[in-house]
Amino acid sequence: MVENNKSYDEFTINFKLEEGVPVDQYELTMFNYEFVGNYTKCQVVEIDGVRALQFKIPATLPLEQFLRKQLYKGEFLSILSNIMNQLMYFDENKMPLNKLLLNIHYMYIELSTLDVQLIYMPVDKKFADCNITEFIQNLISGIRFANMDCVELVDKILKYLDSKLMFDLKDFYNYVLSLEQDMLLEDAETDEERQRSSTTVLATSSNYSNPVPYLLRLKTNELIPILTKEFMVGKSADSNYQIIDNKKVSRRHAIFRISNGECYIRDNDSTNHTFVNGKLLQPGVEIILSNDDYIRLGDEEFRFWIR
């Protein structure tokens, strides 16, 4: 029995416990500590007379759904290092890695931090062997990369894995950390070059530098990248993002505008108004958006996310 119920920012999953299979209390306790970005909680519950493990997962999206979008180098490294850091926690605390559900279908991600929530089965039973190299290769094979920087990074990782006769978790984790450090140094050098040239790089559909702004449509969990300097949301066919299933949304409801690395929103004289964090916007007046702002177009709800 696997049940998956969701409210915004939390998923609940129930796994039936086989009769006679005991729960390992040490592993349950260690899993329920908050560690390296994992805030998932597990408890034993009874549902319709059936004993089950219940996981409460604080996250925005299933990782499987998040990976449908194109990924940038920083995003990919952040996700990979977070997962490896958690594997280190389990390994150091003598918790068998084969009890982890190393499958993106059972992983969840918080968009504001890119922390990945993993599920661990703290029960005394035999599990199949765990192949972390295979998991990493499968993870990479399912990713759509945003640019050549990310493709080249992944090529380095695959070559590293191929060069090792045996996988060593600690060595690989340190390798990923070194890649993150190299990326930070590259970013710092790029920032210095930009300051010296006194130019501002604006995001466009053809030249889009990290970070990338997104809208998360709460009704559908759809991630919508804002890929033009002016991005219109509305019912009209000429909208950059068209909403045809909500009568409360106007034809050209709101405009999102990118300028100097910031994202602004203005109401385009809509019938049912635009709200940011519950505050009514006056038509034609722009306000700047911050990460995780709550946006409502009529009664259509979004979260603004930038990473």
Side-chain angles (χ1 to χ4, degrees), residues 133-196:
T133 299
E134 184 177 321
F135 163 72
I136 297 167
Q137 291 170 336
N138 289 338
L139 175 68
I140 288 172
S141 68
I143 289 176
R144 296 169 57 220
F145 300 115
N147 52 35
M148 284 305 298
D149 283 346
C150 198
V151 174
E152 290 167 2
L153 170 76
V154 165
D155 188 54
K156 284 183 182 179
I157 292 173
L158 292 175
K159 286 179 178 177
Y160 172 90
L161 293 173
D162 288 340
S163 71
K164 303 296 179 181
L165 293 176
M166 293 186 64
F167 180 84
D168 185 287
L169 177 60
K170 187 173 182 180
D171 283 351
F172 182 70
Y173 176 58
N174 287 331
Y175 176 67
V176 174
L177 290 182
S178 72
L179 293 174
E180 283 194 303
Q181 184 63 35
D182 290 344
M183 186 188 70
L184 291 173
L185 292 173
E186 290 171 6
D187 290 346
E189 291 172 359
T190 301
D191 288 341
E192 289 177 4
E193 291 174 3
R194 288 176 180 171
Q195 289 174 5
R196 283 196 297 268

Side-chain angles (χ1 to χ4, degrees), residues 286-305:
E286 285 191 335
I287 70 164
I288 194 168
L289 290 171
S290 299
N291 194 45
D292 209 32
D293 275 348
Y294 168 71
I295 300 166
R296 183 158 54 86
L297 310 184
D299 62 0
E300 187 71 50
E301 300 173 302
F302 298 86
R303 287 280 182 180
F304 176 74
W305 175 62

Side-chain angles (χ1 to χ4, degrees), residues 88-289:
M88 290 284 293
Y89 171 86
F90 291 117
D91 191 54
E92 290 170 355
N93 286 285
K94 312 300 181 187
M95 299 168 71
L97 298 184
N98 61 347
K99 293 187 180 184
L100 280 162
L101 300 187
L102 284 182
N103 184 320
I104 60 172
H105 181 70
Y106 293 109
M107 297 179 178
Y108 297 80
I109 188 166
E110 172 51 49
L111 294 183
S112 61
T113 60
L114 293 189
D115 286 335
V116 177
Q117 307 299 303
L118 303 182
I119 292 178
Y120 182 90
M121 307 299 287
V123 294
D124 288 330
K125 62 172 288 187
K126 187 176 179 63
F127 287 83
D129 290 339
C130 174
N131 189 325
I132 299 174
T133 299
E134 184 177 321
F135 163 72
I136 297 167
Q137 291 170 336
N138 289 338
L139 175 68
I140 288 172
S141 68
I143 289 176
R144 296 169 57 220
F145 300 115
N147 52 35
M148 284 305 298
D149 283 346
C150 198
V151 174
E152 290 167 2
L153 170 76
V154 165
D155 188 54
K156 284 183 182 179
I157 292 173
L158 292 175
K159 286 179 178 177
Y160 172 90
L161 293 173
D162 288 340
S163 71
K164 303 296 179 181
L165 293 176
M166 293 186 64
F167 180 84
D168 185 287
L169 177 60
K170 187 173 182 180
D171 283 351
F172 182 70
Y173 176 58
N174 287 331
Y175 176 67
V176 174
L177 290 182
S178 72
L179 293 174
E180 283 194 303
Q181 184 63 35
D182 290 344
M183 186 188 70
L184 291 173
L185 292 173
E186 290 171 6
D187 290 346
E189 291 172 359
T190 301
D191 288 341
E192 289 177 4
E193 291 174 3
R194 288 176 180 171
Q195 289 174 5
R196 283 196 297 268
S197 61
S198 300
T199 60
T200 302
V201 178
L202 293 179
T204 68
S205 58
S206 59
N207 179 22
Y208 211 95
S209 59
N210 228 6
V212 180
Y214 289 87
L215 295 175
L216 172 65
R217 189 180 180 189
L218 301 190
K219 181 191 294 184
T220 62
N221 275 338
E222 183 178 0
L223 274 176
I224 306 156
I226 300 175
L227 294 177
T228 57
K229 290 181 182 178
E230 289 215 346
F231 189 90
M232 183 169 67
V233 177
K235 197 176 295 179
S236 171
D238 63 353
S239 299
N240 298 100
Y241 181 76
Q242 186 181 20
I243 298 174
I244 60 174
D245 57 350
N246 190 329
K247 294 180 180 179
K248 296 292 183 68
V249 175
S250 295
R251 286 178 54 78
R252 297 175 175 83
H253 197 112
I255 305 291
F256 295 83
R257 185 175 67 86
I258 302 292
S259 178
N260 294 327
E262 303 286 358
C263 187
Y264 299 80
I265 183 175
R266 71 176 182 269
D267 180 80
N268 200 32
D269 200 20
S270 65
T271 301
N272 293 302
H273 310 297
T274 300
F275 303 81
V276 175
N277 298 324
K279 183 179 178 181
L280 174 69
L281 298 190
Q282 295 301 316
V285 177
E286 285 191 335
I287 70 164
I288 194 168
L289 290 171

